[in-house]
Amino acid sequence: MGFDIIGDVHGCLLELRALLSRLGYKIHDYRLQPPPGRQLVLVGDLVDRGPEIVGVLKLLMQAVADGTALCVQGNHDVRLMHVLGGAVPPPSTSLAASLRQLDTAPASFREQVHGFFQRLPSRLELDQGRLLVVHAGEFTTDDPELQAQFNIHGALTGRRDASGVRERVDWVRSYDGQAWVVYGHTTVLKAVWQGRTLNLDTGCVYGGHLTALRYPEQEVVSVPAARAYASSSRWAALIRSRELLESAPRLLPRPS
Ligand code: MN
């Protein structure tokens, strides 16, 4: 079995359909038909920030029910799950936008969404343990609750970086496991392997790309976002650093 693993979707249905089509999947009335011998895998964060939360959920909930897709819980999914289960919504514009979109769907659909997220695992070990899919990152510990917490949310260092963005614990540098780890959560401009880890969150909802890894081929496939649907200080800092890098040669004195 081959896997097509897709990064944070965040309600970007248009781009999800485009990427699935590039990967050879067909969709008939929200029913996903994978190419022979392939299974779709999502790194979580299906909801919040983007324009078509209901459509993304309809498609992927059906695919998971049919066994054509697998998915792990992302931090945004878990937060929405708690609110749909009756928790008081924390102040968040991205959560509020998801709730507004879900308000247009029947109450029974909101119950299905709640159950769907509850049943998702926090980690997926595939290809006989050679491939690990998590949302935020991997942390080796004997405490399964602590591990699930890290897999879904990652952790903050308590510091801020030079752009004022809250710094996240860099688990990639200390990861020394044998499994390939494919994840999302922290936006990057491009999906590049770092050791045995690959971050697929290329900021689609911010106007970046939606990215997939074809496994075991280890081929990265991306489609550009139709537009930016949301903004974030982390993404803005990435764009600024790229612009600085691109303008750097012009700042150097010309050779005489
Ligand atoms: Mn995300």
Side-chain angles (χ1 to χ4, degrees), residues 9-15 48-52 203-208 224-231:
V9 175
H10 285 300
C12 294
L13 183 61
L14 193 72
E15 292 80 359
D48 286 4
R49 299 195 172 109
E52 290 182 82
C204 184
V205 79
Y206 305 119
R227 64 181 188 87
Y229 304 98
S231 60

Side-chain angles (χ1 to χ4, degrees), residues 8 10 45 49 76 135 185 201:
D8 300 36
H10 285 300
D45 271 9
R49 299 195 172 109
H76 284 267
H135 178 64
H185 187 57
D201 183 6

Side-chain angles (χ1 to χ4, degrees), residues 62-97:
Q62 185 65 54
V64 169
D66 290 344
T68 52
L70 300 167
C71 185
V72 294
Q73 294 174 326
N75 56 311
H76 284 267
D77 308 324
V78 166
R79 186 175 62 172
L80 177 64
M81 174 186 86
H82 288 316
V83 172
L84 292 175
V88 176
S92 155
T93 49
S94 67
L95 172 66

Side-chain angles (χ1 to χ4, degrees), residues 123-221:
R123 56 194 284 119
L124 278 170
E125 287 173 32
L126 304 169
D127 191 19
Q128 293 167 311
R130 283 188 282 263
L131 173 65
L132 175 66
V133 179
V134 290
H135 178 64
E138 171 62 338
F139 177 62
T140 309
T141 165
D142 293 331
D143 181 342
E145 252 177 70
L146 196 64
Q147 187 168 52
Q149 180 74 14
F150 196 90
N151 291 157
I152 298 166
H153 301 273
L156 297 169
T157 63
R159 293 188 296 269
R160 283 177 189 270
D161 69 13
S163 323
V165 178
R166 287 190 298 173
E167 194 179 74
R168 289 175 175 170
V169 167
D170 184 4
W171 62 274
V172 167
R173 231 186 306 175
S174 50
Y175 177 69
D176 61 359
Q178 283 306 299
W180 300 102
V181 186
V182 179
Y183 68 105
H185 187 57
T186 301
T187 45
V188 287
L189 292 171
K190 207 168 179 245
V192 184
W193 286 100
Q194 277 189 275
R196 297 176 88 81
T197 75
L198 181 69
N199 183 345
L200 289 178
D201 183 6
T202 46
C204 184
V205 79
Y206 305 119
H209 290 77
L210 190 63
T211 299
L213 172 74
R214 300 186 74 242
Y215 179 96
E217 296 82 356
Q218 303 228 5
E219 179 194 344
V220 173
V221 181

